[in-house]
Amino acid sequence: MKVLCFGSLNIDYTYRVPHFVQKGETLAAEEMNVFCGGKGFNQAVAFARAGAETYHAGAIGKDGLFLLDSLKNAGVHTELVAVLEDQKTGCAIIQNDHSGDNCIMLYGGTNRTITREMADRVLEKFGQDDVLVLQNEINEIPYIMEKAHERGMKIVLNPSPMDGAIAAFPLETVDYFFLNQVEACQLLGSENREEPEKQLNALRKRFPAAAIVLTLGEKGSLYADRAQKHFQPAFRVKAVDTTAAGDTFTGFLMGGLLAGRTVPEAMELAAKASAIAVTRPGASPSIPTLEEVLNWKGQD
Ligand code: RIB
């Protein structure tokens, strides 16, 4: 069983700021770092660190070659990543405040150059026992979902960042949704955020064949499928940078399930992994190894 993460590869320019910059304001950042990132990249690293045989497909420009080295170091297969001449790798401008919160501006760059031919070439290497992991930072996602479904792959969708196009995706092909409460509202077309349990039930009703993972930030996360429901509280830590915490959670929860862990076991593993991630700066550098997660006893 192989995991194919078909998704974004970003250069993250991360600025530590006393507060998020306001309209008309010029603000001096206290620190600036360049990290490997992109929801696709981060999730591929998290899957690999959780122990899954992971392949990444996507596109970068020559300016993003260091992302490939970092993926390889994390144990991700990179031969399906296209390197395009004279094109800019996707990037993110991230403001990170003192409470660890962030706000992110994205430039798609090469992440928006995926062609159907490329998707066909990638997908022909995967089949029935394999898992496709998608976020919403590349183009041609509906086509990739349809073709992967035809091949019998299991589909994991983290519809983030949410936009109006997602409603038109072939969502009935999804086996696992990973989403937060705001994304759940948008997916359900509801204006008011309801109680998490109600949202979970509504999502289950709307997508009866899929398992739903609803993340609740500091409160924890909820899982539901045909057979079971489970709540996992979040572990309390002092947050330094929450970037990629959700990506870490997705990779470790799915990675845990694929390795044969039960839902409660995989959720606990994922909650620990994302708790560790928020105590460290940066996107992918903050993602722990499986060994670190298994040995973690909470923050001192
Ligand atoms: O989920 C975090 C990621 O979102 C960052 O690494 C950034 O690149 C954006 O895609």
Side-chain angles (χ1 to χ4, degrees):
M1 194 265 318
K2 297 179 291 212
V3 171
L4 168 64
C5 188
F6 208 143
S8 56
L9 297 137
N10 288 340
I11 303 173
D12 284 358
Y13 297 96
T14 302
Y15 298 83
R16 188 149 174 85
V17 288
H19 61 261
F20 299 148
V21 71
Q22 306 290 302
K23 182 175 177 179
E25 182 185 18
T26 300
L27 181 67
E30 298 159 350
E31 201 181 317
M32 188 272 193
N33 288 291
V34 181
F35 294 116
C36 298
K39 292 187 196 306
F41 181 105
N42 300 336
Q43 290 183 22
V45 169
F47 269 89
R49 294 207 171 137
E53 185 186 353
T54 309
Y55 292 73
H56 192 94
I60 54 171
K62 288 261 168 75
D63 56 338
L65 282 172
F66 68 99
L67 296 168
L68 282 191
D69 296 334
S70 183
L71 275 182
K72 282 183 201 150
N73 286 339
V76 178
H77 298 268
T78 59
E79 57 272 22
L80 302 173
V81 177
V83 182
L84 307 178
E85 294 287 336
D86 303 325
Q87 302 225 34
K88 283 202 170 66
T89 302
C91 66
I93 305 290
I94 303 179
Q95 295 180 55
N96 175 219
D97 74 9
H98 290 177
S99 34
D101 289 328
N102 63 46
C103 60
I104 302 181
M105 185 177 75
L106 279 181
Y107 170 68
T110 42
N111 294 315
R112 312 297 308 178
T113 64
I114 308 301
T115 62
R116 292 184 176 199
E117 292 68 34
M118 177 191 178
D120 290 340
R121 271 200 311 278
V122 167
L123 291 171
E124 73 185 13
K125 301 189 165 39
F126 298 87
Q128 205 146 27
D129 295 330
D130 299 328
V131 177
L132 171 69
V133 183
L134 294 164
Q135 314 77 29
N136 190 29
E137 290 185 341
I138 59 168
N139 62 314
E140 290 295 359
I141 293 177
Y143 182 81
I144 295 169
M145 287 171 80
E146 269 157 18
K147 293 295 162 185
H149 184 63
E150 280 169 24
R151 302 187 75 79
M153 293 178 78
K154 289 250 171 295
I155 300 181
V156 178
L157 177 66
N158 168 217
S160 180
M162 182 64 89
D163 63 22
I166 289 184
F169 286 8
L171 297 173
E172 66 289 348
T173 63
V174 175
D175 296 283
Y176 291 87
F177 283 96
F178 279 77
L179 68 187
N180 63 29
Q181 286 196 274
V182 176
E183 290 156 355
C185 274
Q186 289 169 299
L187 205 58
L188 291 165
S190 55
E191 292 196 348
N192 301 319
R193 191 194 292 193
E194 291 184 299
E195 288 302 303
E197 277 280 341
K198 277 194 179 166
Q199 283 190 313
L200 192 68
N201 293 340
L203 287 162
R204 281 283 305 134
K205 202 165 161 198
R206 174 87 180 275
F207 305 107
I212 310 289
V213 182
L214 187 62
T215 55
L216 311 171
E218 287 172 359
K219 292 199 187 104
S221 53
L222 278 165
Y223 173 100
D225 65 17
R226 237 187 261 278
Q228 59 186 312
K229 263 190 190 176
H230 183 69
F231 170 67
Q232 170 66 50
F235 290 91
R236 291 213 166 275
V237 287
K238 181 158 173 20
V240 170
D241 183 352
T242 55
T243 314
D247 301 328
T248 304
F249 186 86
T250 301
F252 272 83
L253 175 41
M254 278 311 302
L257 293 177
L258 298 175
R261 288 185 160 83
T262 63
V263 166
E265 286 167 353
M267 286 186 81
E268 187 183 339
L269 187 80
K272 284 183 177 173
S274 55
I276 297 171
V278 303
T279 63
R280 301 170 173 175
S284 65
S286 71
I287 302 171
T289 61
L290 181 59
E291 203 188 346
E292 281 179 286
V293 180
L294 294 175
N295 291 330
W296 193 68
K297 303 277 181 267
Q299 199 174 40
D300 302 328

